[in-house]
Amino acid sequence: MVGYIYLAVAIIAEVIGTTALKASEEFSKPIPSIIVVLGYGAAFYFLSLVLKTIPIGIAYAIWAGVGIVLVAIVGVVLFEQKLDLPAVIGMLLIVSGVVVMNAFSQSINP
């Protein structure tokens, strides 16, 4: 269970880092640029802790999939970006894949 807590922290840190990357405007703004480095540093540190208990392929699939969806939501809310129907359907498929892996895959607990 602790692996999933670390995974959640890694995902949140990655979303913060990616959001700050947009706000850094090509690293021209110092505060968002520092947040990028700290966010990605924390994300990879916690992802490394996750790999003690969750297989790398599963952990990375969850991290990337959930991160994609959360970053898209942040883009809509903070940066007024638009998502069309194919984008929403694609993200629903990503979330469905994460759910299927966690619910049915024997790879989760080797």
Side-chain angles (χ1 to χ4, degrees), residues 23-107:
S24 77
E25 296 181 13
E26 300 172 354
F27 291 103
S28 65
K29 295 187 175 183
I31 299 300
S33 298
I34 291 168
I35 294 170
V36 169
V37 173
L38 294 175
Y40 283 133
F44 283 108
Y45 172 74
F46 281 98
L47 184 61
S48 74
L49 298 178
V50 169
L51 300 181
K52 292 179 183 179
T53 58
I54 300 173
I56 190 169
I58 301 298
Y60 191 77
I62 295 168
W63 184 52
V66 174
I68 288 167
V69 172
L70 291 177
V71 167
I73 291 168
V74 167
V76 168
V77 173
L78 293 183
F79 302 114
E80 299 178 9
Q81 296 174 342
K82 305 285 187 242
L83 294 176
D84 60 8
L85 184 60
V88 172
I89 291 170
M91 284 185 230
L92 288 172
L93 290 170
I94 291 168
V95 170
S96 298
V98 170
V99 170
V100 166
M101 278 190 329
N102 280 286
F104 303 109
S105 177
Q106 297 299 315
S107 299

